[in-house]
Amino acid sequence: MKIVQAKNYQDMSSIACQIILEKIKSAPSLTLGLATGSTPKGLYDCLAADYKENRTSYKNIHTANLDEYIGLPKEDKNSYHTFMNENLFKHIDIPLSQTYIPNGLAADLTEECRRYDRQIKMLGGIDLQVLGIGQNGHIGFNEPGTPFSSRTHVVDLDKSTIEANSRFFSSIEEVPNQAITMGIASILDSREILLLASGKSKAEAVYHLLNGKPDEKFPASALQLHPQVTIVADAEALQKV
Ligand code: PGA
C-alpha cells in the first residue's frame, strides 16, 4: 500500500483530485468507482472547480457508486443519488445515463444486487475505486464480519454507522437501517483503489488498516490483499501510525 501524507482535509482533497485528473487525462473513457460521505466531498468540489476552469471532460467516463440506502427515493435529500448529483454530477459534463448507483427502492433487492454486479461487469470493471473508511473499518457499507468473498448485497447497518450518519438526518429514527453495497470482492476487483481518510476520528481505523492482518472483523484490512492501493490521509488521520 502506498501512503501519501496530506497536511489537512483540503490538502488530502486536492492530492486525490490531482490523481484522478491525471487518470482521466491519460484514459478519458475510464470507469470510476465513487463513494459518498464527508470524506470525498472536498475531492468532488475540486473536480467541479477544475471543470469550471479547465473543462476536463467526463463525456466518456462511466461511474459506479459503492452503495445506496434502502427505502429512500432517489430524490430524497439524503439519498446517495442526490448526494452525487448535488456534489459532483451536476457540476461536470458527465451524461447521467453513464452514472450507476444501486436502486434502494427495487421491488426485488436480491435481483437488484445481481443486476448491479452485471452492470459493473458490462462496464468492463472499475478502473479506479475511491473509498472512505468508517471508524469501525467499514468500506462501502461492508460492516465488520462481511465475508471478503462478498459481491453486491443487502446489509443491516451497524448501530455505530447509523449514529455516525444521523448527522445528515433530522433525527436518528429517520436513518435507514439497511443499504445495498458493493461487496468486498467487488471492491477488490477494481484495478486500482484510492482510499481517503481525514481527521482524528479515523486515526484508529487507519492504524488498523496499516498494521493489522487481513481479517473479516475489520473490512478495510482486505485492501492488504490488493496490489494497487494508494491511501491519501491527513496528519490527524495518521497520528497513531
Ligand atoms: P465519512 O464516511 O466520509 O462521512 O466519514 C466514511 C465511511 O463511512 O465510509
Side-chain angles (χ1 to χ4, degrees), residues 171-237:
S171 73
I172 195 162
E173 289 73 36
E174 281 180 28
V175 187
N177 47 27
Q178 284 191 311
I180 294 183
T181 185
M182 275 188 211
I184 307 265
S186 333
I187 292 171
L188 292 182
D189 274 351
S190 313
R191 290 179 191 93
E192 211 175 325
I193 291 173
L194 180 61
L195 182 139
L196 309 182
S198 167
K200 54 180 187 300
S201 68
K202 300 295 171 71
E204 191 74 36
V206 171
Y207 174 82
H208 273 288
L209 167 63
L210 298 176
N211 293 291
K213 296 244 173 314
D215 182 343
E216 290 179 353
K217 289 199 208 88
F218 192 77
S221 64
L223 301 180
Q224 291 170 0
L225 306 170
H226 193 284
Q228 286 283 4
V229 178
T230 301
I231 298 169
V232 185
D234 67 10
E236 285 190 351

Side-chain angles (χ1 to χ4, degrees), residues 35-41 66-67 80 131-136 138-141 161 164-165 167-168 196 198 201-202:
T36 51
S38 305
T39 308
K41 207 171 167 308
L66 283 169
D67 45 21
Y80 288 166
L131 292 180
I133 183 168
Q135 291 176 34
N136 62 3
H138 74 205
I139 46 175
F141 271 135
T161 303
N165 291 5
R167 67 192 192 278
F168 300 111
L196 309 182
S198 167
S201 68
K202 300 295 171 71

Side-chain angles (χ1 to χ4, degrees), residues 7 13 15 36 44 52 56 61 80 93 117 126 145 148 150-151 153 156 164 169 181-182 190 210:
K7 289 197 271 294
S13 304
I15 292 170
T36 51
Y44 298 150
K52 207 166 172 191
T56 306
I61 298 285
Y80 288 166
D93 66 348
D117 285 336
I126 291 170
F148 284 176
S150 54
R151 299 271 151 198
H153 61 288
D156 293 329
F169 293 79
T181 185
M182 275 188 211
S190 313
L210 298 176

Side-chain angles (χ1 to χ4, degrees), residues 44-62:
Y44 298 150
D45 289 346
C46 177
L47 293 175
D50 164 82
Y51 181 74
K52 207 166 172 191
E53 203 176 316
N54 305 313
R55 294 277 177 241
T56 306
S57 182
Y58 296 76
K59 281 224 158 73
N60 296 310
I61 298 285
H62 291 76

Side-chain angles (χ1 to χ4, degrees), residues 78-143:
N78 282 307
S79 78
Y80 288 166
H81 281 78
T82 299
F83 179 97
M84 290 311 303
N85 287 335
E86 291 301 317
N87 289 289
L88 183 63
F89 298 152
K90 79 174 190 193
H91 304 288
I92 59 177
D93 66 348
I94 192 161
L96 278 184
S97 59
Q98 289 167 207
T99 67
Y100 299 92
I101 303 179
N103 175 11
L105 278 188
D108 182 341
L109 293 168
T110 308
E111 171 49 26
E112 172 60 11
C113 294
R114 298 291 69 77
R115 190 196 65 78
Y116 201 63
D117 285 336
R118 286 196 299 273
Q119 186 66 64
I120 293 172
K121 215 174 228 167
M122 272 158 56
L123 291 170
I126 291 170
D127 293 302
L128 176 66
Q129 175 68 56
V130 176
L131 292 180
I133 183 168
Q135 291 176 34
N136 62 3
H138 74 205
I139 46 175
F141 271 135
N142 293 287
E143 302 287 19

